Amino acid sequence: PPPPPPPLAPLRSHDRCQPPTLLLNKMVLSSDGLVCRDVAASRVLEMALRSSGEANQGRWFSQCDPSVRAKLCEAYHLEPYPTAKQLEKLTRAVKAPSVDCVRTFYQCMQVKAQELCGHG
């Protein structure tokens, strides 16, 4: 009989047993049961901003203070698909010109995250 296959590398699990500090500022982008890929929200934003300098001219979040972008990334990390009420609250917290400005940030992050997973 052929030799047994080599053992699989241990999976990185993101289950309830892990201390939450291990997941700070990271979000799972893809997990198919074999591979779990996580990336910092700030890295996704950085890649989204690099993708189109021309588009960035019209994006409020690309022109705002880095501390505001950090707050946006933290909010995205906590909830990548916020409710209308959560968007309104975040808009006030970061003093964005409108809810649409914050919604555009989320849409850009979602598209870039999908691209990073190989779905875009």
Side-chain angles (χ1 to χ4, degrees):
L8 295 174
L11 296 175
R12 293 183 316 196
S13 72
H14 297 295
D15 61 21
R16 290 184 215 112
C17 298
Q18 282 187 316
T21 55
L22 295 179
L23 300 176
L24 283 179
N25 300 321
K26 294 271 186 166
M27 59 188 180
V28 175
L29 283 184
S30 62
S31 179
D32 62 6
L34 298 175
V35 176
C36 187
R37 183 169 179 216
D38 55 350
V39 176
S42 59
R43 180 80 172 124
V44 175
L45 176 59
E46 179 184 320
M47 295 175 86
L49 292 175
R50 282 189 190 174
S51 64
S52 178
E54 192 173 304
N56 287 342
Q57 293 174 4
R59 294 178 180 158
W60 164 80
F61 63 88
S62 69
Q63 310 294 323
C64 67
D65 190 84
S67 65
V68 172
R69 285 198 298 265
K71 288 179 186 177
L72 290 168
C73 284
E74 180 62 27
Y76 183 83
H77 166 74
L78 294 172
E79 178 52 67
Y81 294 94
T83 64
K85 194 172 193 171
Q86 289 170 318
L87 282 174
E88 291 170 8
K89 184 177 178 181
L90 182 58
T91 299
R92 289 188 303 274
V94 297
K95 297 181 173 77
S98 70
V99 172
D100 286 337
C101 291
V102 176
R103 186 176 292 113
T104 299
F105 162 78
Y106 273 87
Q107 290 168 342
C108 289
M109 292 288 283
Q110 291 159 356
V111 167
K112 184 52 69 177
Q114 290 173 1
E115 289 173 4
L116 290 171
C117 291
H119 299 292

